[in-house]
Amino acid sequence: QVQLVESGGGLVQPGGSLRLSCAASGIFRINAMGWYRQAPGKQREFVTDISPSGRTNYADSVKGRFTISRDNAQNTVYLQMNSLKPEDTAVYYCNTVLRSTPYWGQGTQVTVSS
């Protein structure tokens, strides 16, 4: 059974940084992992993902500011977010797909505000 548990969200001022974590159980090493976000009144959108070998993709809106990484020994994927903007405010979700079935964490709230 796949379980994803996010942590690390919070309130931060514009220009600040946060690091999100996603602890995975059930499957990890052979799976690509991703982060999505959903702002109030908007659809969930892709942020970034990382392949089992470490290849990464980023949405244009976060390129150069966000970095995804993974620790296979700890079954954990991280999202380092720098130079945060108010428009980054959203619930951030960890994601993976196993045998065509998507799995999501419960989400962690990130609020960027002065």
Side-chain angles (χ1 to χ4, degrees):
Q1 182 179 0
V2 177
Q3 283 193 310
L4 304 174
V5 180
E6 303 99 334
S7 60
L11 173 64
V12 63
Q13 292 188 341
S17 298
L18 279 177
R19 189 193 196 202
L20 306 183
S21 299
C22 173
S25 60
I27 190 74
F28 184 75
R29 296 189 183 197
I30 61 172
N31 267 41
M33 302 291 297
W35 288 95
Y36 287 70
R37 67 186 181 186
Q38 187 166 17
K42 296 187 177 181
Q43 290 190 330
R44 193 170 297 188
E45 65 176 4
F46 170 79
V47 177
T48 179
D49 63 15
I50 185 167
S51 73
S53 64
R55 184 171 180 177
T56 58
N57 294 294
Y58 294 93
D60 287 343
S61 58
V62 306
K63 279 182 182 176
R65 300 188 299 121
F66 290 11
T67 303
I68 189 171
S69 61
R70 62 191 296 160
D71 183 337
N72 289 341
Q74 298 294 324
N75 282 5
T76 301
V77 62
Y78 302 99
L79 181 61
Q80 178 66 44
M81 306 185 294
N82 299 328
S83 302
L84 282 160
K85 305 175 181 180
E87 51 263 42
D88 295 318
T89 295
V91 178
Y92 284 71
Y93 297 91
C94 184
N95 164 269
T96 193
V97 178
L98 178 62
R99 299 188 186 97
S100 301
T101 300
Y103 293 89
W104 299 92
Q106 82 286 354
T108 185
Q109 176 70 47
V110 172
T111 302
V112 185
S113 175
S114 55

